[in-house]
Amino acid sequence: MTSASTPASSVVPADRAGTTEGGAPGTRAGARTRTSALLPYLRHAAAKLAGAAVSLLAVLVTSFFLFRIIPGDPVKTMTHGMPTTAEQLATLRHQFGLDLPLWQQFTDYCAKALSGDLGTSFQFRAPVGDLIAQKLPATLLLTGTAVVLYSALGLWLGTRSAWRHGSLGDRLNTGVALTLWSVPSFWLGLLLIIVFSVGMGPVPGLFPTGGMESGTGETGFGYVLDVAHHMVLPVLTLVAVGYAQTLLVMRSSLLDEMGGDYLTTARAKGLRDDAVRRRHAVPNALLPVVTMVFINLGHVVAGSILVETVFSWPGLGGLFYQALSVPDLPLVQGLFVVFAGAMIVMNLIADLLYPLLDPRVGR
């Protein structure tokens, strides 16, 4: 029995104290709601993490067997031109572990790789991890700069082309992008060297033909300018080829969204065309582009083997080319694992971000 001053509806059973019918935040019902909303994302994340782990194991297996089908004997290649006896060749094979059965080489390789030891380079006689660490900054500088530039350029031009599809600017942008996307990067790099490094006709040689620095002992800001001068042509090559893919993917994705009813509703509310594009259309068109951007970020570590080789850039791409020419099996395997691992990690990050960008993903 309640007092006259206390409404009966205000009496709450003790076992339901602190909860409300709607499951407000801070209540047990609200906690259950949040947990039930979080569970699909956790299942999605666990599945993607398991898939990434399986992919990394597959990369280890592939990296070991793939490069052993390359013709050539690493020991004979390294001793080419030097008088070497059969006993000396056998000693070198024993030092490199090439005389062991294939299954034992594979198990030793996997055990070391899983512990972070990528082996010792045949030709440089140095740990593979140290060689990769030495060359990584140059690759990150070159390809990182290029990825930032061509991602921003491709997104901007792709958005403008799609929003004004059918216009002269759209046809021009699409035509140039399709042309550049089909051009081999090494061929474009060689063409830029001929025109802007060697000089052709009225165009003088303005940029170095290769390398990362002039070796003149510049320091401070002078060294920065020297490196930037050497970066112009390789970055231009990577941007010319890379922006085209970003533009075409962004254009296609945005065109798919432009017929949506939500855009018509946004316009009916009086929003300006730029606001409709920026606030509504572009965010919904970004999912395919996010995947591509993160894959491109994986390429930042992998570098560009052909472009770095053409411009003699001292990065991981050039190191991979050197290792492949021997073949230096530990170095080739280590670089392959690093390249593929970077792609897997970046793809995993994109997969984990998808449900945050679009809650329908992973449900």
Side-chain angles (χ1 to χ4, degrees), residues 28 156 207 337:
R28 281 184 289 179
W156 181 64
F207 301 101
V337 169

Side-chain angles (χ1 to χ4, degrees), residues 126 184 205 246:
T246 310

Side-chain angles (χ1 to χ4, degrees), residues 92-314:
L92 287 174
R93 289 194 179 91
H94 178 71
Q95 290 178 355
F96 296 145
L98 297 175
D99 59 340
L100 296 173
L102 190 61
W103 66 267
Q104 189 173 350
Q105 293 183 44
F106 175 67
T107 55
D108 290 346
Y109 164 70
C110 288
K112 291 180 179 179
L114 291 174
S115 66
D117 182 4
L118 297 177
T120 302
S121 168
F122 290 168
Q123 56 181 327
F124 297 105
R125 305 295 180 91
V128 170
D130 292 347
L131 293 173
I132 292 175
Q134 291 172 10
K135 300 292 185 179
L136 183 59
T139 290
L140 292 179
L141 176 63
L142 178 66
T143 55
T145 303
V147 166
V148 170
L149 290 176
Y150 72 62
S151 295
L153 182 63
L155 286 172
W156 181 64
L157 290 177
T159 300
R160 294 181 65 85
S161 292
W163 206 248
R164 296 176 174 83
H165 64 284
S167 65
L168 177 61
D170 175 37
R171 293 197 298 269
L172 182 62
N173 282 331
T174 305
V176 172
L178 287 171
T179 301
L180 291 175
W181 198 10
S182 62
V183 171
S185 57
F186 73 91
W187 181 84
L188 181 60
L190 290 172
L191 186 63
L192 291 177
I193 289 175
I194 292 172
V195 176
F196 296 106
S197 293
V198 178
M200 187 176 69
V203 181
L206 301 174
F207 301 101
T209 56
M212 184 176 174
E213 56 186 64
S214 301
T216 56
E218 293 280 354
T219 58
F221 188 65
Y223 176 76
V224 173
L225 289 178
D226 185 34
V227 173
H229 190 219
H230 284 75
M231 285 177 61
V232 171
L233 291 185
V235 167
L236 182 60
T237 303
L238 293 171
V239 169
V241 176
Y243 102 93
Q245 181 185 15
T246 310
L247 182 151
L248 294 173
V249 172
M250 185 61 195
R251 179 182 182 275
S252 175
S253 180
L254 187 54
L255 284 175
D256 290 340
E257 296 291 333
M258 286 178 61
D261 293 337
Y262 67 95
L263 297 184
T264 304
T265 303
R267 291 189 178 95
K269 289 181 177 180
L271 290 179
R272 293 186 305 168
D273 200 51
D274 286 344
V276 173
R277 182 188 72 234
R278 186 175 61 255
R279 296 182 191 175
H280 299 281
V282 171
N284 286 310
L286 280 178
L287 276 183
V289 184
V290 166
T291 300
M292 187 185 57
V293 168
F294 274 94
I295 289 175
N296 290 336
L297 289 176
H299 286 151
V300 170
V301 176
S304 176
I305 297 172
L306 294 177
V307 172
E308 287 190 14
T309 302
V310 167
F311 288 96
S312 303
W313 190 263

